[in-house]
Amino acid sequence: MRVSFCCTGTTAQPWLDGLRAALPGAVVEVWSAGAAAADHAIVWAPPQQFFDEQTGLKAIFNIGAGVDALMKLRLPPEVPVVRLDDAGMSVQMAEYVCHAVIRHFREFDGYESDMARGEWSYRKPRLHADFPVGVMGLGVLGARVSRALAQFDFPVLGWSRSAKSIPGVQCFSGEAGFNDFLAATRIVVCLLPLTAETEGILRHDTLSRLQPGGYVINVARGRHLVDDDLIALLDSGHLAGAMLDVFRTEPLPEDHPFWKHPKIAVTPHTSARTLREESIAQIAAKIRALQNGTPVSTLAGVVDPKKGY
Ligand code: NDP
Ligand code: OXD
């Protein structure tokens, strides 16, 4: 069995060492133009040439949860794409989002500014009931984040394509549920995949339906958000702030207004990182299962090409 590794921006050697240890007997190598045909591909942002040349693949493993960049390429038809299914990301995402929500709710950003000025001053306690948090996307990450937020007594709402039932979370679904979801939300968290349906979903007409004093946390993809609409709603006072981890262009260009906006906090696409050991263990287990004849449809994380995630 041959496994081809083609992950842009990733230091290959530790992955190769881990994959070789987890798949004894397999030839695991970094792809280069003209390489021998592989059975399985492990990819992140590969060039189109990779798929043009690798015509014998049985499965394509993406070393991230989001497959939006991959789905834009011409992929071999009928070859399953398998994304990371949690692999240690959901706890990181829960930490990030709970931090962002609590930082805003408890006004820790304000206390940091006070501290910088040497000022000892209290803010009035706020009520959880006044800060309902709405999570867009109730998949592997969104479900974990929703449950974590509910532990802190925030009213939690969730929105997904298909109907869900999560204890402690008021669930809405589909277009029919979107308006009610937005109207009941003050802090919105985006954990949707980027698809034709979700691109630009955080825009003026949707964000203006949030409760006054709304707050935006985008941890999914930069193209979910219309940047100028966010700035307009922050400047008009309808939105109180935003914490953003993902951007239309990454790294965020140095002249982008998000860097200096007083109501925006940015982090460098770090809310949930791919963890190498967990990811290798998950991918190797799936490759072994496929080699042993397990039907691909039973594996977690298989992408539906029609839905695009
Ligand atoms: P999942 O596929 O498990 O979950 C996606 C959720 O979005 C599902 O609940 C799905 O609904 C819902 N959804 C999809 N399309 C629509 C739609 N049109 N309307 C309403 N709901 C919709 O993905 P993950 O939870 O694993 O990951 C989510 C995203 O997070 C990734 O695609 C990636 O972009 C981003 N991400 C960001 C990271 C970062 O570091 N910033 C790290 C990892 C991921 P249904 O359940 O009905 O299918
Ligand atoms: C992912 C990411 O999709 O890191 O896994 O953004």
Side-chain angles (χ1 to χ4, degrees):
M1 178 186 47
R2 195 175 280 273
V3 177
S4 186
F5 184 86
C6 183
C7 297
T8 307
T10 306
T11 307
Q13 196 56 50
W15 282 86
L16 299 181
D17 294 344
L19 286 160
R20 285 172 186 151
L23 295 167
V27 175
V28 185
E29 57 196 3
V30 173
W31 175 79
S32 58
D39 302 286
H40 299 286
I42 298 181
V43 300
W44 182 255
Q48 179 61 49
Q49 189 186 358
F50 177 81
F51 294 110
D52 292 345
E53 288 189 12
Q54 287 291 323
T55 51
L57 294 173
K58 297 183 189 134
I60 300 162
F61 293 90
N62 185 56
I63 62 161
V67 290
D68 43 290
L70 192 56
M71 300 311 275
K72 286 201 189 110
L73 300 177
R74 276 187 319 281
L75 301 179
E78 313 298 325
V79 178
V81 173
V82 188
R83 66 188 192 85
L84 286 183
D85 174 60
D86 195 335
M89 282 197 259
S90 72
V91 66
Q92 298 178 65
M93 202 52 101
E95 289 161 356
Y96 184 102
V97 173
C98 289
H99 164 82
V101 167
I102 292 169
R103 176 176 177 269
H104 174 59
F105 171 66
R106 294 286 307 271
E107 301 184 84
F108 287 130
D109 47 348
Y111 285 114
E112 272 166 27
S113 315
D114 294 349
M115 189 181 73
R117 287 194 301 273
E119 207 174 289
W120 180 280
S121 64
Y122 290 109
R123 289 169 167 74
K124 267 172 70 179
R126 295 162 143 190
L127 300 178
H128 291 94
D130 293 336
F131 287 81
V133 187
V135 180
M136 299 168 75
L138 292 175
V140 176
L141 303 182
R144 173 87 185 241
V145 163
S146 308
R147 288 197 301 271
L149 288 164
Q151 294 286 313
F152 289 104
D153 292 353
F154 292 102
V156 182
L157 308 97
W159 181 67
S160 53
R161 179 199 286 265
S162 57
K164 305 266 183 259
S165 167
I166 302 175
V169 180
Q170 190 184 355
C171 294
F172 298 80
S173 60
E175 274 186 40
F178 194 38
N179 268 337
D180 290 344
F181 166 82
L182 288 173
T185 291
R186 178 155 175 186
I187 301 180
V188 74
V189 178
C190 183
L191 269 168
L192 293 165
L194 182 65
T195 64
E197 285 175 24
T198 65
E199 180 157 0
I201 197 163
L202 301 174
R203 58 178 181 271
H204 200 281
D205 76 298
T206 52
L207 295 177
S208 40
R209 279 181 267 161
L210 297 175
Q211 295 184 354
Y215 192 86
V216 177
I217 300 170
N218 188 14
V219 277
R221 287 291 182 264
R223 298 192 72 79
H224 285 124
L225 176 68
V226 178
D227 296 1
D228 290 345
D229 290 0
L230 174 70
I231 289 178
L233 286 164
L234 289 169
D235 292 349
S236 75
H238 180 70
L239 294 178
M243 185 150 183
L244 309 173
D245 185 50
V246 287
F247 306 93
R248 286 175 174 258
T249 305
E250 294 181 4
L252 184 63
E254 64 182 50
D255 58 350
H256 196 288
F258 286 171
W259 280 115
K260 297 228 168 88
H261 197 288
K263 295 180 178 172
I264 297 179
V266 300
T267 50
H269 198 142
T270 195
S271 50
R273 305 284 289 269
T274 292
L275 301 179
R276 194 174 56 238
E277 278 79 13
E278 281 85 339
S279 306
I280 288 172
Q282 184 175 110
I283 292 169
K286 289 177 182 174
I287 291 177
R288 283 194 300 269
L290 291 178
Q291 291 293 109
N292 291 334
T294 303
V296 70
S297 56
T298 63
L299 301 184
V302 178
V303 173
D304 177 341
K306 286 199 208 83
K307 291 191 198 159
Y309 66 94

